Amino acid sequence: MAKGVMIVAEQRDGALRKISLELASTARKLADQTGDEVSAILLGSGIEGLAAELGKYGVDKVFVGDNAAMEPYITEAHAAVVAKVVKENDPAILLLGASVQGKDLSARVAAKLATGLATDCTDVKLDGGKFVAIRPMYAGKCFGEIVTSATPAMASLRPNVFPAAENAKAGTVVKVDAAVDAASIKSKILEVQKDTSGKVDLTEANVIVSGGRGMKGPEGFGILEELAAVLKGTVGASRAAVDAGWKLQKDQVGQTGKVVSPNLYIACGISGAIQHLAGMSSSKCIVAINKDAEAPIFTKADYGVVDDLFKVVPELTAVCKKLVA
Amino acid sequence: MNIIACVKQVPDTEAQIKVKADGSGIEEGQIKWVMNPYDEFGVEEALKLKEKNGGDVTVVCVGPARAMETIRTALAMGADKGVHICDPAFDNADAFVVANALAAVIKTLPHDIIFCGQRAIDDDSGQVGAMLAEALGLPQLTLVTKLDFAGSSVKVIRPIEGAQLLIETALPCVVTCQKGLNEPRYASLPGIMKAKKKPVDVKDAAAVGIATDAKAKVAKTVPPPARPPGKIICGDEPAQKAAELGRLLREEAKAI
Ligand SMILES: Cc1cc2nc3c(=O)[nH]c(=O)nc-3n(C[C@H](O)[C@H](O)[C@H](O)COP(=O)(O)OP(=O)(O)OC[C@H]3O[C@@H](n4cnc5c(N)ncnc54)[C@H](O)[C@@H]3O)c2cc1C
Ligand SMILES: Nc1ncnc2c1ncn2[C@@H]1O[C@H](COP(=O)(O)O)[C@@H](O)[C@H]1O
């Protein structure tokens, strides 16, 4: 009988990603309802030391696959090891992050295990002992409750949505064989071009200050950068601003950009088209600054300011500077 | 080159989505159907590869009879032929079933590279590309924003959080496309006329020959949780409004 909750932890450059702690905490909550164990799969090279941190966030047992073949991440190599560990240990539930890596890996693993996967979930629960994953569909215009008819029931969790809470457990290390047949790996990473701006990626940011066509041009974004710097946030953009060449594609929020869930999303000069809302409506607190009181963004905003953003934003930056000082 | 592009028909992004009263899905009556926007990037990239290197573009689609229109759109853009997997047995298909159906058909076609969208904007699931790659035993390159053909391999750019990866992968492989890859063309009038005569092979479930029971089922569809109505911040001067907003964010929302 399949039993327990397993997560696939994510690390990069020898550090756990925040989503790993969110996964551990969510798994712990689920497992405590049935008195089951939480286990984790941790793959990489020279990463055994990270198991203790997973233990701190509620993981009982960490399957560590420490092998040069696991670094950097290559889909086929990781998927093969994850599928093997899952088959050997038969968990009832398998959780991954809906990060770029987690999205890539989860679908491949689900196909290998011939099971069902609910992606980019914003909630998960046990309903009469059965795992139910809740996820936005149709760009958040409705939500689906997903059940799986095979085991494990798989879900990937949207980053920044599930709280990470310390809850110390053993985090016992169990070594697993993570050797892969080199001939089976058809992809090679030639180069990693790191973003040297020091800015947190939009999908991981706690605060996002976004600008749209109302910014008038690339220079306009300067005042958003200043506000973001004070709030330790990242600047995002609407598609209109990206298509105009004012910001890069990686900065775009929305249906054809990134889906984000920061604690605070400040939309400046963005009308709130349905495709933009698709990318940010799971944010915890939404602020809209727009001179048009009829702009649809105000229907989603917790706080709205109807005024010229070029006057409001610098004032807000000054206010925030004092508040966070 | 033998190029495959997978296309799905989805509701237009502007479409209003109404949940059925019994939670069994959405009302389809009023919807305008279009090609999944991410699949437009896939079709465009397929056509660009063909124009540069010669070859043939086949579009493959799983969907009801109305999805033929999306196949015709791809043919009008310039694809050469289509396969339409059409059977009520696929009405409740999940990503696993769709990927296996696509794989069963693609296995019978010569294929050097297969394009999918990074996700379909109806189910927003983002699984089919990777599942298809697994079913075909091929490598996958997901969320690609740049692709260069290099003979027996491709070099792609794949953005991840805080970095971009330059990856080389041997062909054949599956690529999933996102915005930034290219600017999809519109179908021209002559293109639309020609598309009517291009061959589309329609296959039912028996011809595809795979199990059609979904592994993941949408047990219930519900409207999004209601957000409490927001506050419009009053004040005479921008400075006053900013001060009040700052205070609320600090004291009420605890967001800063
Ligand atoms: C298939 C598809 C996918 C799409 N994907 C996305 C996506 O991923 N992300 C996305 O954002 N869009 C997307 N769009 C585009 C979307 O429909 C809108 O066109 C876009 O979001 C509009 O951007 P905007 O709000 O910046 O511009 P506009 O709609 O032009 O709004 C500008 C706003 O700025 C306000 N403004 C102007 N000057 C000032 C000022 N001085 N002070 C205060 N306010 C001011 C105006 O009142 C207005 O509300 C997509 C569209 C399609 C068809
Ligand atoms: N029914 C389908 N027919 C053809 N291709 C599909 C179908 N469903 C999904 N795909 C392809 O897989 C991609 C991802 O879809 P999904 O995993 O459903 O989000 C889409 O952009 C399509 O390229």
Side-chain angles (χ1 to χ4, degrees), chain B residues 5-9 36 38-39 60-63 95 98 102 115-129 176:
Chain B
C6 299
V7 295
K8 184 179 190 184
Q9 192 183 45
N36 182 36
Y38 289 108
D39 299 349
V60 187
C61 173
V62 181
V98 169
L102 293 170
F115 291 100
C116 286
Q118 67 115 335
R119 69 170 187 260
I121 63 158
D122 51 357
D123 56 34
D124 279 329
S125 98
Q127 302 182 26
V128 168
T176 82

Side-chain angles (χ1 to χ4, degrees), chain A residues 20-318:
Chain A
S20 302
L21 308 181
E22 296 167 10
L23 288 166
S25 297
T26 307
R28 185 75 260 161
K29 256 200 202 152
L30 290 169
D32 282 347
Q33 291 173 41
T34 48
D36 281 323
E37 195 175 68
V38 174
S39 59
I41 302 179
L42 174 64
L43 304 178
S45 177
I47 39 86
E48 195 177 314
L50 300 178
E53 202 178 340
L54 289 170
K56 214 159 82 184
Y57 283 82
V59 177
D60 299 296
K61 193 191 280 173
V62 186
F63 295 100
V64 178
D66 205 322
N67 191 304
M70 293 292 107
E71 206 77 66
Y73 169 83
I74 298 276
T75 317
E76 294 92 311
H78 277 236
V81 177
V82 169
K84 187 183 72 169
V85 175
V86 170
K87 276 187 192 149
E88 285 167 5
N89 294 282
D90 198 21
I93 300 169
L94 180 65
L95 304 179
L96 292 92
S99 55
V100 177
Q101 181 173 314
K103 280 182 196 154
D104 184 75
L105 180 62
S106 56
R108 186 92 192 199
V109 168
K112 270 191 198 298
L113 299 172
T115 192
L117 165 66
T119 38
D120 211 14
C121 299
T122 51
D123 198 5
V124 290
K125 63 180 182 192
L126 290 173
D127 188 359
K130 198 163 174 58
F131 180 70
V132 181
I134 294 133
R135 55 184 305 274
M137 296 173 72
Y138 298 91
K141 292 176 201 169
C142 66
F143 279 63
E145 300 193 358
I146 314 296
V147 295
T148 301
S149 60
T151 56
M154 285 182 67
S156 69
L157 309 188
R158 181 174 287 186
N160 261 355
V161 170
F162 295 81
E166 287 194 24
N167 182 351
K169 300 288 168 188
T172 311
V173 171
V174 181
K175 290 191 182 171
V176 297
D177 178 15
V180 288
D181 171 16
S184 71
I185 307 304
K186 303 281 197 288
S187 298
K188 194 170 169 216
I189 298 188
L190 304 178
E191 203 182 316
V192 180
Q193 302 157 356
K194 284 208 175 127
D195 174 3
T196 49
S197 70
K199 290 274 157 54
V200 185
D201 189 77
L202 284 174
T203 56
E204 297 172 324
N206 272 322
V207 176
I208 294 175
V209 183
S210 271
R213 207 192 311 267
M215 303 315 299
K216 304 278 188 291
E219 323 74 40
F221 277 85
I223 55 171
L224 303 189
E225 292 290 351
E226 285 165 23
L227 178 57
V230 171
L231 298 175
K232 299 198 171 53
T234 302
V235 172
S238 72
R239 176 166 177 171
V242 170
D243 286 355
W246 305 345
K247 293 295 283 177
L248 299 174
Q249 180 57 47
K250 73 173 175 63
D251 303 320
Q252 185 184 317
V253 172
Q255 193 158 39
T256 40
K258 286 181 176 160
V259 175
V260 300
S261 333
N263 274 328
L264 176 59
Y265 188 90
I266 306 180
C268 306
I270 293 177
S271 61
I274 190 76
Q275 300 91 349
H276 188 80
L277 301 179
M280 43 64 76
S281 52
S282 66
S283 304
K284 271 142 251 152
C285 177
I286 298 172
V287 173
I289 305 174
N290 195 308
K291 65 180 182 192
D292 174 9
E294 301 300 315
I297 189 76
F298 287 117
T299 64
K300 290 282 170 198
D302 299 291
Y303 302 106
V305 177
V306 182
D307 210 328
D308 183 353
L309 72 92
F310 291 99
K311 292 186 182 138
V312 176
V313 172
E315 296 287 354
L316 183 62
T317 305

Side-chain angles (χ1 to χ4, degrees), chain B residues 164-175:
Chain B
Q164 293 206 87
L165 306 178
L166 174 63
I167 309 180
E168 180 162 22
T169 293
L171 294 178
C173 71
V174 175
V175 173

Side-chain angles (χ1 to χ4, degrees), chain B residues 75-166:
Chain B
L75 297 176
M77 286 169 76
D80 299 286
K81 55 187 194 294
V83 180
H84 186 183
I85 304 169
C86 182
D87 196 305
F90 292 107
D91 283 354
N92 294 308
D94 64 349
F96 185 73
V97 171
V98 169
N100 283 328
L102 293 170
V105 165
I106 293 169
K107 265 179 200 161
T108 68
L109 304 168
H111 53 271
D112 297 306
I113 189 162
I114 300 156
F115 291 100
C116 286
Q118 67 115 335
R119 69 170 187 260
I121 63 158
D122 51 357
D123 56 34
D124 279 329
S125 98
Q127 302 182 26
V128 168
M131 288 187 159
L132 173 60
E134 172 65 23
L136 293 169
L138 297 180
Q140 71 195 52
L141 292 162
T142 57
L143 286 158
V144 165
T145 55
K146 186 171 192 296
L147 183 135
D148 285 309
F149 173 61
S152 60
S153 67
V154 284
K155 285 186 188 167
V156 304
I157 293 281
R158 176 167 191 268
I160 59 173
E161 299 88 355
Q164 293 206 87
L165 306 178
L166 174 63

